[in-house]
Structures are given as C-alpha cells and as structure tokens.
Amino acid sequence: MKTYFILPLLAILAMPAFAAKMSIPIDTPKSYEAECASCHMAYPPSLLSRKNWQNIMSNLGKHFGTDASLDSKTQAEITQWLVKNAATRSKYSVFAPENRITKSSWFIHEHDEVRFDIWKRSGIKSPANCSACHIDATKGDFSEHNIRIPIK
C-alpha cells in the first residue's frame, strides 16, 4: 500500500527537474549547428511552437534585424527539423509574440524576478542570451539550481 503513495510523490518531486531540461534532439542537422549556432545559442526547438518556428524560418532575410538567409535546401532541412521537434507541452506550445522566446508567457513567468537592469549588464546584454546565466543552457539545461548571474 505504501508504494501507491510513494511513487506518485516521487513523480511530483521530480517534475521541476524534467521541466528545466530541454535537450537538443539527437537528430539535429549539422546545418542547424553550423548556421544558427554560429550567431546565437542553438536553442532547443521545444522552446517555441511549430507556428513560431515556421514564421522565423520563413523570414530569415529579416531575422531579428539581421539577414540570416539560407539556401533553400538548408532552410527546408532546418525548418522541417524545428517544426518536428517544436514544443508539444501546452506551457511551451502557446504562440510567442513576435516569435521571441523571451516574449513567451512561460519565459516571462520564469524570469519575473529578474530586474531590467540585470538584463543590461555587459555579461548578459539581453534576455535571449540564455548561456550568460544558465551554465548548461547549450546542453538544454535551464535548471534554476544551476544559474550564475554575472555581476557586471
């Protein structure tokens, strides 16, 4: 009888750990690392909805103020992979305004205690710079137990 209570309790206690881990899928195309991660962190596709990724990839000529245009084959390969691995959990699959991870309701909720002046520190520069504070962000680990906020 005790196991009926212990197993659900363990599952509930483990939830924050699962929520903080968003691994990059193992079938990541080399083009994603070569093209996308050459300018910014290779964001786990599960941070945005399918529609967000489709919007981003269909407007690479004006990619957040930069021309990130790709040849059609590479663009199709990356788009297909991002859409296939996009957010499925309702928390993350809600459409993010302006196709920005940092404008999504879950991001704002998770970072609501971060003051505006902290985002502007030279070691951070922007809320989109996940790896400035999340030590293992490039591994898809966004645990709040593994954060280092730059002093400057």
Side-chain angles (χ1 to χ4, degrees):
M1 187 70 152
K2 289 181 182 177
T3 54
Y4 291 116
F5 295 109
I6 294 173
L7 290 175
L9 178 62
L10 290 174
I12 290 168
L13 292 174
M15 283 179 177
F18 292 124
K21 185 74 174 158
M22 297 183 164
S23 303
I24 301 287
I26 58 171
D27 65 340
T28 304
K30 290 184 190 288
S31 57
Y32 184 64
E33 290 288 331
E35 298 295 341
C36 305
S38 67
C39 294
H40 56 73
M41 184 185 109
Y43 298 109
S46 58
L47 290 177
L48 285 173
S49 71
R50 288 179 174 94
K51 184 64 177 158
N52 283 127
W53 286 121
Q54 289 167 335
N55 290 348
I56 289 168
M57 294 302 295
S58 67
N59 197 19
L60 291 175
K62 295 180 181 176
H63 185 65
F64 303 106
T66 303
D67 184 354
S69 298
L70 299 170
D71 64 80
S72 58
K73 180 183 173 200
T74 303
Q75 183 172 349
E77 176 186 47
I78 294 171
T79 302
Q80 180 182 11
W81 178 78
L82 288 168
V83 169
K84 178 180 93 174
N85 293 289
T88 54
R89 291 182 51 201
S90 62
K91 174 180 177 179
Y92 304 105
S93 64
V94 174
F95 186 79
E98 301 173 34
N99 300 306
R100 292 182 180 270
I101 293 167
T102 58
K103 299 274 184 169
S104 64
S105 57
W106 67 263
F107 182 95
I108 292 167
H109 172 75
E110 292 295 326
H111 297 85
D112 62 353
E113 73 280 3
V114 180
R115 296 185 327 267
F116 181 76
D117 63 302
I118 292 174
W119 295 121
K120 296 299 175 191
R121 291 180 181 173
S122 62
I124 300 173
K125 297 183 182 160
S126 159
N129 186 7
C130 305
S131 56
C133 301
H134 294 276
I135 296 165
D136 290 324
T138 57
K139 297 176 189 169
D141 185 351
F142 300 94
S143 170
E144 57 187 53
H145 301 292
N146 201 11
I147 293 177
R148 168 197 38 80
I149 299 176
I151 297 170
K152 295 182 180 185

